[in-house]
Amino acid sequence: MGRKASEPVCRAASPETRHVVIVGGGFAGINAAKALGNRKGVRVTLIDRNNYHLFQPLLYQVAMAALNGGEISYPLRKMLSMYRNITIYKGCVENVDAENRKVLTDFGEIGYDYLVLACGAKHHYFGHNEWESFAPGLKTIGQASEIRRRVMEAYERAERTQDPVEQKKLLSFVIVGGGPTGVELAGSIGEMSRYYLSKYYKNIDPRQTRIFIVHSGKRILNTFSPELSSRAARALEQLGVQIWTSSRVSGIDASGVQIGPEHIEAETVLWAAGVRATSIGKTMGFETDASNRIVVDDALSVKGHPEIFCGGDQARFELAGGEALPGLASVALQEGRAIGRNILRDIEGSPRQPFAYLDKGQMATIGKNMAIVEKGRLRLSGFPAWLVWLLVHIYFLSGFKHRFFVLLQWGWSYFTFGHAARIINREWRFYPENPDGP
Amino acid sequence: MGRKASEPVCRAASPETRHVVIVGGGFAGINAAKALGNRKGVRVTLIDRNNYHLFQPLLYQVAMAALNGGEISYPLRKMLSMYRNITIYKGCVENVDAENRKVLTDFGEIGYDYLVLACGAKHHYFGHNEWESFAPGLKTIGQASEIRRRVMEAYERAERTQDPVEQKKLLSFVIVGGGPTGVELAGSIGEMSRYYLSKYYKNIDPRQTRIFIVHSGKRILNTFSPELSSRAARALEQLGVQIWTSSRVSGIDASGVQIGPEHIEAETVLWAAGVRATSIGKTMGFETDASNRIVVDDALSVKGHPEIFCGGDQARFELAGGEALPGLASVALQEGRAIGRNILRDIEGSPRQPFAYLDKGQMATIGKNMAIVEKGRLRLSGFPAWLVWLLVHIYFLSGFKHRFFVLLQWGWSYFTFGHAARIINREWRFYPENPDGP
């Protein structure tokens, strides 16, 4: 980069302007940034390894070829361009020197007065990292593209072979984990195989696709009420999904999935079971829980470090009963906003306010016309729930244009049952030994 | 695959049904397939390494972040699903056994009665394959994504550094080749840097971006009339593009481009200079030209092999004067259709017809409101030409839905000057040594 790592990228903040460094441009990070945008006495540096904000709740639709990655991502620079006091760097934070109030990035050091950690979470294989190559998780657009490639490629390979046993294995999909993401993936594959793909293949019948949800708990979607969870299970079964509850995966390899003494032969395994925060909180010696989440106080700052805040999936915020808030977009969004406001209160000299989470409820979608929605005592399922799901997601998609295009894309798919983006992208690789390519 | 390579995938054709194998799903391949679709006495197997047809004329818009890859690709299975006699395999053809009339693929052997080669062309570095990693070409969606990543990443890195010499190098883009693709890439970068990016960066002024077209000939766009070529050059210069004619690249490396004694420091170099057909024609011992194109007779079949046809960028069809038809979509489309019809004539027992190319003219676009169109003595430039360009491209986009969405996307970009898809995708890689990812 032509600069030594010890040389700071940013000038020292003038005494009257406080410098806030935000790490991560997810729901928590951008909402902290927005709360501080164009405010007096503060300037903000937002660092993210990508140049876009990702609307993660719809990532499974990219994996299932219903949307393009570009439709659920929004350039951070565009999103925050109206704020004169926000600078954005695409880069990686490698460490934090909390004593000297500096973050160490791959492009140099940046000093801060306040630090906001909002790095999110990624998949966690419970000590079996060797499973990752066989069972990718779904947290990034790259992973979504890889899942899409594996699913579509399995059908192409099944069409090419004439060995029925191999075809069966190729048309078997195991989803590990029965939370919302697992359910959404399984429901999509069920719907696609039963209602859409069948007319496009000559040698196979895609309706014979086997789809398994392998779930360690007693029932899927266990953060929902037993009634809604059961309705979702019935809807999944109607799409041909086999639900194996009380089933803990003991092995994953190229042959498929081992569940204690049982074995499922499957070419494609998808991981939707566990997430864990990045390890930076642990490295920094902060108090963390088993999922690496940093324990924060009621004002969302780190114990012993009032100048460091943490929000979103990286934070563990405990309710009065000791229960932690779940890793939901609405939690991250509210935490980010609360962090920004508490920094402003500090600067104004007023006391910080404790964070109060306003429960927005939870929802999961199984397929076209079928979802479940639960908010307090309100419980919806079927078409009404699906409509609520649709409206909420379109409303929260960042930026008007995206909402508009996704709505159109969905409308089109709804009436044609066509999957818009069903192409398999291969990355470009450089093959010097073979000028004609692979 | 569970099957030996020597075992044929397809059953032998019944005596009354001829089996046509088409290699390649580009403009030539799909139009040959469509001409044979649902016709009596013939069945078709189409093989392509991708599962989609790519609308290559708009690929530069994917590279320049104006469209998503999915918007210019169309699933082959969907495109040809109305034809009962067409089977599609996603796979690679590794060789052809012309004597025994079999193609050898990575999933087994397939016998044929007629073979249609329509494998297209790819970039050619004139004996300098070592340049490819520094200067990617633009023939696939993967390459378009890589070019997009390099261009957008250059701006991100320039924003992060404070070294003005490094910033200058990062904001320098060299396009090798002054044909339509080179002009379209240069025009897009010029437009983007001058009119769009400037408001999104704090440390750099994107309007200082240097863009070079390095062209070996005396004038760019030399298949057009001198007058139109000159108008295009003036329009490019108005967007800040520097055109270096009579300049032959003698070296490309990480520092930039060497042109004889001259040197341009540039982080990003794009290759739009030369293409060459795949080497399969040469391997098979057919007559080929310097660009590996297979020389075909007036019925588009290979000399000495009336059962083997070749069309599109892979074929060399000579006009009466000895001049070869250029590598245009309209040429490939017409050749493919003519091949299909000649095979039908063979089956019906009627004589083949010589191929007659109907000149559809040529066009190139420089930027918003500016293009050039030439057809015989008709010459257009400026806004009218741009409108013609727009209508023709929308019309030829395969599938109504794509036309509709691309039109919307373009309309939106036109009025907002926003680039819809300006995100940098990173591919997903498996990093076992680092569970927290890169």
Side-chain angles (χ1 to χ4, degrees):
Chain A
M1 302 293 298
R3 191 191 336 100
K4 272 171 283 174
S6 58
E7 198 178 327
V9 170
C10 298
R11 289 131 285 163
S14 67
E16 61 278 5
T17 302
R18 300 305 188 91
H19 183 207
V20 181
V21 170
I22 301 174
V23 187
F27 286 105
I30 54 161
N31 282 288
K34 283 177 176 176
L36 296 165
N38 289 350
R39 294 308 188 105
K40 268 189 194 160
V42 62
R43 67 187 183 85
V44 176
T45 299
L46 177 72
I47 305 169
D48 196 290
R49 62 175 61 168
N50 292 314
N51 70 339
Y52 54 87
H53 168 73
L54 177 65
F55 192 77
Q56 271 191 1
L58 288 179
L59 197 54
Y60 82 97
Q61 295 229 353
V62 177
M64 292 295 115
L67 289 175
N68 288 306
E71 279 145 1
I72 61 159
S73 344
Y74 204 79
L76 286 169
R77 295 194 181 284
K78 199 165 176 176
M79 202 166 203
L80 301 172
S81 63
M82 67 288 265
Y83 303 114
R84 293 179 311 278
N85 64 337
I86 301 180
T87 304
I88 299 164
Y89 293 117
K90 177 175 181 290
C92 289
V93 170
E94 286 161 349
N95 213 335
V96 177
D97 178 354
E99 204 177 322
N100 297 302
R101 301 197 176 177
K102 289 191 295 195
V103 293
L104 310 161
T105 74
D106 58 356
F107 57 98
E109 293 182 8
I110 300 180
Y112 63 82
D113 298 308
Y114 289 99
L115 176 65
V116 180
L117 293 172
C119 306
K122 54 176 275 135
H123 281 89
H124 176 218
Y125 290 83
F126 307 118
H128 289 280
N129 288 337
E130 71 275 15
W131 293 352
E132 186 171 8
S133 62
F134 302 110
L138 183 62
K139 275 279 167 189
T140 66
I141 288 189
Q143 287 170 338
S145 305
E146 174 65 15
I147 290 176
R148 177 198 293 196
R149 194 191 65 73
R150 289 187 190 201
V151 171
M152 299 311 305
E153 189 78 32
Y155 284 96
E156 292 298 330
R157 285 176 57 196
E159 173 83 351
R160 287 193 311 227
T161 183
Q162 283 177 324
D163 176 348
V165 175
E166 198 189 337
Q167 278 178 341
K168 189 176 91 170
K169 187 185 171 197
L170 284 163
L171 297 186
S172 297
F173 299 86
V174 177
I175 289 112
V176 185
T181 301
V183 163
E184 281 156 358
L185 288 172
S188 300
I189 299 177
E191 201 169 59
M192 188 161 76
S193 61
R194 265 59 183 176
Y195 297 107
Y196 178 67
L197 290 180
S198 48
K199 61 180 173 224
Y200 294 120
Y201 293 87
K202 296 269 188 323
N203 300 334
I204 55 170
D205 180 0
R207 285 168 298 194
Q208 294 182 342
T209 302
R210 302 188 306 168
I211 307 140
F212 302 86
I213 290 181
V214 178
H215 186 64
S216 60
K218 281 191 180 165
R219 59 183 179 91
I220 58 165
L221 297 169
N222 55 13
T223 59
F224 289 82
S225 67
E227 182 206 342
L228 283 186
S229 154
S230 165
R231 284 210 198 153
R234 296 297 83 70
L236 282 167
E237 283 170 352
Q238 281 169 25
L239 294 170
V241 177
Q242 303 171 39
I243 302 170
W244 291 23
T245 50
S246 303
S247 301
R248 195 173 291 276
V249 168
S250 51
I252 304 177
D253 59 22
S255 74
V257 173
Q258 193 73 30
I259 302 140
E262 297 184 296
H263 183 74
I264 303 172
E265 286 277 310
E267 187 67 23
T268 312
V269 184
L270 307 178
W271 187 263
V275 295
R276 191 161 72 166
T278 49
S279 51
I280 201 163
K282 236 168 139 179
T283 319
M284 291 171 70
F286 297 158
E287 187 187 342
T288 52
D289 67 5
S291 305
N292 282 352
R293 289 184 294 184
I294 297 173
V295 179
V296 290
D297 59 25
D298 62 354
L300 295 162
S301 62
V302 178
K303 287 176 185 173
H305 283 279
E307 80 285 6
I308 302 180
F309 291 85
C310 184
D313 285 0
Q314 198 183 1
R316 180 185 176 91
F317 182 88
E318 282 176 17
L319 297 170
E323 199 196 342
L325 284 179
L328 294 174
S330 60
V331 172
L333 191 151
Q334 292 180 40
E335 286 179 346
R337 196 186 295 151
I339 288 171
R341 288 179 182 167
N342 270 340
I343 292 174
L344 289 178
R345 284 191 194 97
D346 265 23
I347 293 170
E348 290 160 2
S350 52
R352 292 182 180 182
Q353 280 197 359
F355 173 62
Y357 175 60
L358 182 66
D359 184 12
K360 298 278 186 178
Q362 52 178 336
M363 49 180 79
T365 178
I366 291 94
K368 203 195 273 191
N369 297 347
M370 177 61 199
I372 57 173
V373 173
E374 185 164 342
K375 191 192 168 196
R377 285 165 62 189
L378 173 77
R379 288 167 193 177
L380 291 175
S381 67
F383 184 74
W386 183 78
L387 214 59
V388 169
W389 176 87
L390 190 75
L391 293 175
V392 166
H393 280 80
I394 287 173
Y395 179 79
F396 277 107
L397 262 185
S398 319
F400 172 71
K401 192 198 143 186
H402 280 233
R403 279 179 220 165
F404 175 71
F405 273 73
V406 169
L407 186 63
L408 273 175
Q409 186 101 334
W410 280 351
W412 190 279
S413 297
Y414 187 82
F415 290 110
T416 63
F417 226 118
H419 275 241
R422 201 162 45 98
I423 66 163
I424 304 175
N425 272 325
R426 299 184 316 149
E427 73 205 65
W428 179 76
R429 283 203 201 86
F430 175 61
Y431 292 89
E433 73 288 354
N434 177 10
D436 280 343
Chain B
M1 302 295 299
R3 190 189 337 101
K4 271 171 285 173
S6 59
E7 197 178 325
V9 169
C10 298
R11 289 129 282 164
S14 67
E16 62 279 3
T17 302
R18 302 303 187 93
H19 183 207
V20 180
V21 171
I22 300 174
V23 187
F27 286 105
I30 54 161
N31 283 288
K34 283 177 176 177
L36 296 164
N38 288 350
R39 294 309 188 104
K40 269 189 192 160
V42 63
R43 67 184 182 87
V44 177
T45 299
L46 177 71
I47 305 168
D48 196 290
R49 63 174 62 166
N50 292 315
N51 71 340
Y52 54 88
H53 168 72
L54 178 65
F55 193 77
Q56 270 192 0
L58 288 180
L59 197 54
Y60 81 96
Q61 296 228 353
V62 177
M64 292 293 116
L67 290 175
N68 287 307
E71 278 145 1
I72 61 159
S73 341
Y74 204 80
L76 286 168
R77 296 196 180 281
K78 198 165 179 179
M79 201 166 202
L80 300 172
S81 64
M82 67 288 266
Y83 303 114
R84 294 180 310 278
N85 64 337
I86 300 181
T87 304
I88 298 164
Y89 293 118
K90 177 175 180 291
C92 289
V93 171
E94 285 160 351
N95 213 337
V96 177
D97 178 355
E99 204 178 321
N100 298 303
R101 301 197 176 176
K102 291 192 293 197
V103 292
L104 312 160
T105 74
D106 58 354
F107 57 97
E109 292 181 7
I110 300 180
Y112 63 82
D113 298 307
Y114 289 98
L115 176 64
V116 180
L117 293 173
C119 306
K122 54 176 274 137
H123 281 89
H124 175 220
Y125 291 83
F126 307 118
H128 289 280
N129 289 337
E130 72 275 14
W131 295 351
E132 185 171 8
S133 61
F134 303 108
L138 182 62
K139 276 279 167 191
T140 67
I141 288 189
Q143 288 170 336
S145 305
E146 174 65 15
I147 289 177
R148 178 198 293 198
R149 195 192 63 74
R150 289 187 190 203
V151 171
M152 298 312 305
E153 189 78 32
Y155 283 96
E156 292 297 332
R157 285 176 56 197
E159 173 83 351
R160 287 193 311 228
T161 182
Q162 283 177 322
D163 176 348
V165 174
E166 198 189 338
Q167 278 178 342
K168 188 176 92 171
K169 187 186 171 195
L170 284 163
L171 298 186
S172 298
F173 299 86
V174 177
I175 290 112
V176 184
T181 301
V183 163
E184 281 156 358
L185 287 172
S188 301
I189 299 177
E191 202 168 60
M192 189 161 74
S193 61
R194 264 59 184 176
Y195 296 107
Y196 179 68
L197 291 180
S198 49
K199 61 180 173 223
Y200 294 120
Y201 293 86
K202 296 270 191 317
N203 300 333
I204 54 169
D205 180 0
R207 286 169 296 193
Q208 294 183 341
T209 302
R210 302 188 306 167
I211 307 138
F212 302 86
I213 291 181
V214 177
H215 186 63
S216 60
K218 281 191 181 163
R219 59 184 180 90
I220 58 164
L221 298 168
N222 56 13
T223 59
F224 289 81
S225 67
E227 181 205 343
L228 282 186
S229 153
S230 165
R231 283 208 200 156
R234 294 300 81 74
L236 282 166
E237 284 171 350
Q238 281 169 24
L239 293 170
V241 177
Q242 303 171 39
I243 302 170
W244 291 23
T245 51
S246 304
S247 301
R248 195 174 290 277
V249 167
S250 51
I252 304 177
D253 60 22
S255 74
V257 173
Q258 192 73 31
I259 303 139
E262 296 184 297
H263 184 73
I264 303 171
E265 286 278 310
E267 188 68 24
T268 312
V269 184
L270 307 178
W271 187 263
V275 295
R276 192 162 71 168
T278 49
S279 51
I280 202 164
K282 236 167 138 180
T283 320
M284 291 172 69
F286 297 159
E287 186 186 343
T288 51
D289 67 6
S291 305
N292 282 352
R293 291 183 294 183
I294 298 173
V295 179
V296 292
D297 59 25
D298 62 353
L300 294 162
S301 63
V302 177
K303 287 174 186 175
H305 283 280
E307 80 285 6
I308 302 179
F309 291 84
C310 184
D313 286 359
Q314 199 184 359
R316 180 186 175 91
F317 181 88
E318 283 176 17
L319 298 171
E323 197 196 346
L325 284 179
L328 294 174
S330 60
V331 172
L333 191 152
Q334 292 180 40
E335 286 179 347
R337 196 187 295 150
I339 289 170
R341 289 179 181 166
N342 271 340
I343 293 174
L344 289 178
R345 286 190 191 99
D346 265 23
I347 293 170
E348 291 160 2
S350 54
R352 292 182 181 182
Q353 279 196 1
F355 173 62
Y357 175 59
L358 182 66
D359 184 13
K360 299 278 185 179
Q362 53 177 337
M363 49 181 80
T365 178
I366 290 95
K368 201 195 272 189
N369 296 348
M370 177 63 200
I372 56 173
V373 172
E374 184 165 342
K375 190 193 168 193
R377 283 164 63 191
L378 173 77
R379 288 166 194 177
L380 291 175
S381 67
F383 184 74
W386 183 78
L387 213 61
V388 170
W389 175 88
L390 189 76
L391 293 175
V392 166
H393 280 81
I394 287 173
Y395 179 80
F396 277 106
L397 261 187
S398 320
F400 170 72
K401 191 200 143 186
H402 279 233
R403 277 179 221 167
F404 175 70
F405 274 73
V406 169
L407 187 62
L408 274 175
Q409 186 101 334
W410 281 350
W412 189 279
S413 297
Y414 188 81
F415 290 109
T416 62
F417 226 120
H419 275 240
R422 202 160 46 96
I423 66 162
I424 305 176
N425 271 326
R426 298 183 318 149
E427 71 205 67
W428 180 77
R429 285 202 198 87
F430 175 60
Y431 292 89
E433 72 287 354
N434 176 9
D436 280 344

